């Protein structure tokens, strides 16, 4: 189905009350991530993939200028998109499923991994998050998260990166691993169940598999 220009694809669980995982996706859904999840032996769950996003705007918490010569600025419209997600997309999904999932989780890759963590600071719907190769290089985001009241954050947060992601000439992107590790350690120190997984490769390798691994972890940790 399509909601305000966003394409919403639903991969249904066997059980009507199974966990619901929301995944914001840069690419149009082709079922690859759900297939990888099944191959990894994920517990039963419903996956909702949302594509057709205004990526640099919808997934960014506040505006920033381009980080490289050929890049585009980020519009900082995450709050607007989150409102659409909470008030229109998720209710429409539940209507389509004719079911009430026992829990709702949020996952994302790259900027969507950043959005997934940011969304937890803005609402209490999601019980766990998977930030896969999340854009923790985003200016001022580490400070934002480390100053946030951790008692309001979820109990399970998955982080991952490729071991080559920080090996770039871009000074801003070089900070991604340091920021990710700092955020993960801060949250763990404050009693949140976290994990940081380092995969082989750069940002553009095995995105579907990395995302599926994150989804598997949050599903298993939230049983």
């Amino acid at each position: 189905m399509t909601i305000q220009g966003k394409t919403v694809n639903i991969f249904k669980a066997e059980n009507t009350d199974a966990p619901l995982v929301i995944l914001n996706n840069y690419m149009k859904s082709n079922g690859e991530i759900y297939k990888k999840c099944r191959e990894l032996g994920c517990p039963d769950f419903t996956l909702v993939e949302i594509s057709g996003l205004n990526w640099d705007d919808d997934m960014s918490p506040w505006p920033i200028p381009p980080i490289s010569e050929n890049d585009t600025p980020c519009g900082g419209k995450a709050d607007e998109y989150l409102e659409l997600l909470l008030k229109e997309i998720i209710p429409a999904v539940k209507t389509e499923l004719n079911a009430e999932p026992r829990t709702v989780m949020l996952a994302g890759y790259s900027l969507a991994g950043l959005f997934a963590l940011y969304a937890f600071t803005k609402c209490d719907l999601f019980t766990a998050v998977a930030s896969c190769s999340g854009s923790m290089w985003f200016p001022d985001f580490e400070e934002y998260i480390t100053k946030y009241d951790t008692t309001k954050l979820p109990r399970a947060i998955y982080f991952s990166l490729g071991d080559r992601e920080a090996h770039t000439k871009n000074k801003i992107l070089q900070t991604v691993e340091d920021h990710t590790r700092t955020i993960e350690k801060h949250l763990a120190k404050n009693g949140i169940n976290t994990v940081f997984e380092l995969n082989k490769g750069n940002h553009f390798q095995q995105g579907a598999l990395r995302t599926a691994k994150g989804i598997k972890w949050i599903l298993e940790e939230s049983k």
Side-chain angles (χ1 to χ4, degrees):
M1 60 183 163
T2 301
I3 300 175
Q4 290 200 25
K6 318 300 185 188
T7 301
V8 181
N9 288 313
I10 303 174
F11 301 87
K12 294 182 180 181
E14 294 180 5
N15 299 312
T16 57
D17 70 337
L20 176 65
V21 176
I22 305 296
L23 173 66
N24 294 297
N25 202 343
Y26 181 77
M27 305 294 291
K28 185 177 180 180
S29 173
N30 59 7
E32 181 181 4
I33 293 173
Y34 188 71
K35 180 181 178 182
K36 291 290 185 185
C37 287
R38 304 315 268 174
E39 290 174 352
L40 291 176
C42 286
D44 189 36
F45 77 107
T46 291
L47 178 66
V48 174
E49 276 196 74
I50 305 168
S51 57
L53 300 163
N54 296 318
W55 190 252
D56 289 341
D57 294 342
D58 292 341
M59 297 291 100
S60 57
W62 46 81
I64 64 168
I67 63 170
S68 65
E69 183 178 352
N70 298 317
D71 195 21
T72 56
C74 289
K77 295 183 178 180
D79 288 338
E80 295 177 27
Y81 173 68
L82 180 59
E83 184 175 10
L84 173 66
L85 184 63
L86 296 176
K87 293 185 177 180
E88 295 191 39
I89 295 177
I90 292 177
V93 167
K94 291 181 178 180
T95 298
E96 178 71 19
L97 293 173
N98 193 26
E100 185 62 39
R102 62 178 176 268
T103 186
V104 183
M105 306 176 191
L106 190 58
Y109 194 91
S110 193
L111 271 177
L114 179 83
F115 172 83
L117 195 55
Y118 177 73
F120 273 115
T121 70
K122 295 294 182 174
C123 70
D124 58 4
L125 173 65
F126 308 109
T127 59
V129 63
S131 177
C132 309
S133 284
S135 300
M136 301 303 151
W137 53 261
F138 201 86
D140 301 323
F141 193 74
E142 178 188 314
E143 182 179 10
Y144 173 81
I145 287 294
T146 53
K147 287 186 175 181
Y148 193 78
D149 182 0
T150 53
T151 62
K152 298 179 181 180
L153 289 173
R155 296 298 91 194
I157 306 177
Y158 172 93
F159 295 90
S160 73
L161 278 179
D163 61 7
R164 301 297 300 174
E165 292 199 46
H167 295 253
T168 172
K169 294 180 180 179
N170 188 298
K171 297 296 184 181
I172 296 176
L173 296 180
Q174 284 176 5
T175 66
V176 66
E177 187 169 334
D178 287 343
H179 285 321
T180 303
R181 289 183 180 275
T182 298
I183 290 170
E184 187 269 333
K185 288 178 181 177
H186 168 77
L187 297 177
K189 183 179 179 181
N190 283 274
I192 296 171
N193 180 15
T194 69
V195 68
F196 173 71
E197 183 171 8
L198 199 60
N199 300 286
K200 290 185 177 180
N202 61 34
H203 186 67
F204 303 99
Q205 292 178 280
Q206 296 187 318
L209 177 59
R210 292 183 192 179
T211 303
K213 289 166 70 176
I215 291 172
K216 183 174 188 287
W217 189 87
I218 59 174
L219 287 169
E220 291 180 340
E221 292 299 312
S222 300
K223 285 183 178 179

